[in-house]
């Protein structure tokens, strides 16, 4: 497991600097004070969401920002406009999206009525998701009550909109035949319709 440190001599003017990174931990310098933060921890208004040996994702005042090793986040930084995705409505009135789950692309049906993202057991196996290790549950479907498992997908990406540790319901068998993009992902985003398009934005 690698761990890297970087000299601060040329970053003395920075407000927040990523000076050391490793999986699940970051060493940040804020106004000259060094902070060691583990994933999920909050110190001096900075929450570490995730980290590896090259970059980390932090949250400050509800805004998430990625820092590369040695990069700085100066005070008074501006937040760029969030990513926006536009989906065309099909002839049946549905919206479909190409979504990456842990780097694997899956065509999904946008379903704001689904509490979570939902996959069939068959699809989960194709994606390498060990769902049997998840929390066993019972889910109501059009065909009745079925066995399901609640798991968390490390990363989901919709055309540049990325969310981490997303709850996913995996239903044993082959249904739903088309995975559902439900509210465990969409609930963190803004959704609106615009002239036959579904606009999803951060």
């Amino acid at each position: 497991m690698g761990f890297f440190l970087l000299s601060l001599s040329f970053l003395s003017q920075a407000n927040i600097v990523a000076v050391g990174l490793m999986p699940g931990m970051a060493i940040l310098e804020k106004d000259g004070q060094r902070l060691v933060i583990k994933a999920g921890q909050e110190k001096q208004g900075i929450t570490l969401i995730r980290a590896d040996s090259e970059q980390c994702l932090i949250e400050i005042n509800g805004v998430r920002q990625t820092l590369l090793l040695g990069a700085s986040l100066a005070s008074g930084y501006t937040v760029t406009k969030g990513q926006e995705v536009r989906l065309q409505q099909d002839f049946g009135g549905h919206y479909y999206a190409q979504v990456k789950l842990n780097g694997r692309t899956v065509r999904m049906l946008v379903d704001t009525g689904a509490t979570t993202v939902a996959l069939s057991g068959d699809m989960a196996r194709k994606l390498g998701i060990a769902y049997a290790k998840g929390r066993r549950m019972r889910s109501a479907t059009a065909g009745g009550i079925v066995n399901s498992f609640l798991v968390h997908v490390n990363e989901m990406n919709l055309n540049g909109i990325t969310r981490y540790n997303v709850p996913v319901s995996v239903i044993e068998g082959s249904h739903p035949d088309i995975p559902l993009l439900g509210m465990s992902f969409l609930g963190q985003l803004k959704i609106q319709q615009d002239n036959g398009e579904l606009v999803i934005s951060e």
Side-chain angles (χ1 to χ4, degrees):
M1 182 168 59
F3 191 96
F4 302 89
L5 291 175
L6 197 67
S7 171
L8 292 177
S9 59
F10 66 100
L11 294 172
S12 58
Q13 300 302 314
N15 187 34
I16 300 173
V17 188
V19 297
L21 295 173
M22 64 183 299
M25 182 182 295
I27 299 177
L28 307 178
E29 185 150 309
K30 178 183 179 183
D31 296 328
Q33 182 178 357
R34 188 162 291 193
L35 306 173
V36 179
I37 310 178
K38 294 182 180 180
Q41 284 187 333
E42 182 271 334
K43 289 186 179 180
Q44 296 191 20
I46 304 171
T47 300
L48 178 64
I49 306 301
R50 66 198 299 253
D52 57 28
S53 60
E54 298 179 348
Q55 63 182 13
C56 65
L57 179 67
I58 62 174
E59 183 174 301
I60 305 173
N61 296 326
V63 177
R64 293 189 175 188
Q65 187 86 1
T66 298
L67 271 178
L68 299 177
L69 181 66
S72 63
L73 185 63
S75 58
Y77 69 93
T78 57
V79 180
T80 58
K81 182 180 179 182
Q83 186 75 19
E84 180 181 277
V85 176
R86 289 179 172 265
L87 303 176
Q88 297 290 330
Q89 191 175 50
D90 74 354
F91 292 110
H94 302 297
Y95 296 95
Y96 292 90
Q98 298 293 325
V99 182
K100 287 187 177 181
L101 284 78
N102 292 341
R104 302 279 294 276
T105 301
V106 180
R107 181 172 181 262
M108 305 188 78
L109 170 65
V110 177
D111 187 353
T112 56
T115 304
T116 66
V117 173
L119 304 174
S120 68
D122 292 349
M123 176 60 71
R125 281 189 291 273
K126 290 179 181 178
L127 296 173
I129 298 174
Y131 66 88
K133 296 180 180 179
R135 180 155 59 94
R136 184 180 291 272
M137 302 179 68
R138 300 280 284 171
S139 299
T141 69
I145 304 298
V146 296
N147 292 325
S148 64
F149 296 85
L150 183 65
V151 298
H152 288 78
V153 170
N154 292 334
E155 181 176 326
M156 288 186 62
N157 182 289
L158 170 62
N159 291 355
I161 297 177
T162 303
R163 291 297 180 267
Y164 303 96
N165 201 32
V166 180
V168 174
S169 177
V170 178
I171 301 170
E172 287 190 322
S174 58
H175 295 284
D177 53 349
I178 299 177
L180 304 179
L181 186 60
M183 296 306 289
S184 58
F185 180 87
L186 296 172
Q188 306 175 50
L189 306 170
K190 298 176 184 177
I191 304 174
Q192 62 183 15
Q193 288 187 317
D194 180 22
N195 295 323
E197 292 183 325
L198 189 68
V199 183
I200 302 174
S201 59
E202 295 181 295

